[in-house]
Amino acid sequence: MTKEFIDGSLQSGGKVLVHGNAGISRSAALVIAYIMETFGVKYRDAFTYVQERRFCINPNAGFVHQLQEYEAIYLAKLTIQMMSPLQLERSLSVPPGSTGSLKRMHEEDEDLGTMQVAAAQNG
């Protein structure tokens, strides 16, 4: 929604002020995310770009983690959009006979879930 709002404002010749309480964490994270997706750049490059214009930005660790996770998601999305249908089909095809080795058994999923719960309770 934020990207659509900013894009719409800029396309109609307007400007956008993104602000939060102090303009250091949340608003910076939104601007970084916007730049990442709009210009197809990685988190570090977008962060540097924003920091060069507002030196005091300091997104909190949670926002940084989310932006770094988002980087992988939108870069994969860009890669898929740039692929032709034939390239996409080839990249998604599985070599014959290897299907079984790519699947995890339902029991393994349950075991993994049990281990994560036990680790959370012990940690």
Side-chain angles (χ1 to χ4, degrees), residues 34-80:
Y34 176 82
I35 290 170
M36 287 170 63
E37 185 169 343
T38 302
F39 300 103
V41 297
K42 295 184 175 188
Y43 166 75
R44 180 57 35 204
D45 296 330
F47 176 88
T48 301
Y49 180 84
V50 174
Q51 191 175 46
E52 287 172 353
R53 285 144 184 84
R54 182 164 172 79
F55 70 93
C56 65
I57 68 165
N58 187 20
N60 71 42
F63 289 148
V64 171
H65 181 72
Q66 287 179 338
L67 288 166
Q68 289 169 334
E69 284 185 350
Y70 178 61
E71 178 180 305
I73 294 167
Y74 88 84
L75 286 177
K77 181 179 168 186
L78 284 176
T79 302
I80 289 171

Side-chain angles (χ1 to χ4, degrees), residues 2 6 16-28 30-31 54:
T2 301
I6 293 172
V16 177
L17 171 66
V18 180
H19 67 90
N21 218 12
I24 293 172
S25 184
R26 183 173 299 129
S27 57
L30 285 171
V31 172
R54 182 164 172 79

Side-chain angles (χ1 to χ4, degrees), residues 5 32 48 70 72 110 114:
F5 176 82
I32 290 168
T48 301
Y70 178 61
E110 288 178 350
T114 305

Side-chain angles (χ1 to χ4, degrees), residues 58-104:
N58 187 20
N60 71 42
F63 289 148
V64 171
H65 181 72
Q66 287 179 338
L67 288 166
Q68 289 169 334
E69 284 185 350
Y70 178 61
E71 178 180 305
I73 294 167
Y74 88 84
L75 286 177
K77 181 179 168 186
L78 284 176
T79 302
I80 289 171
Q81 288 173 346
M82 294 185 337
M83 294 176 103
S84 71
L86 183 58
Q87 288 173 318
L88 184 58
E89 185 178 319
R90 286 181 183 160
S91 69
L92 294 176
S93 67
V94 178
S98 63
T99 341
S101 64
L102 296 176
K103 293 182 180 178
R104 229 190 306 175

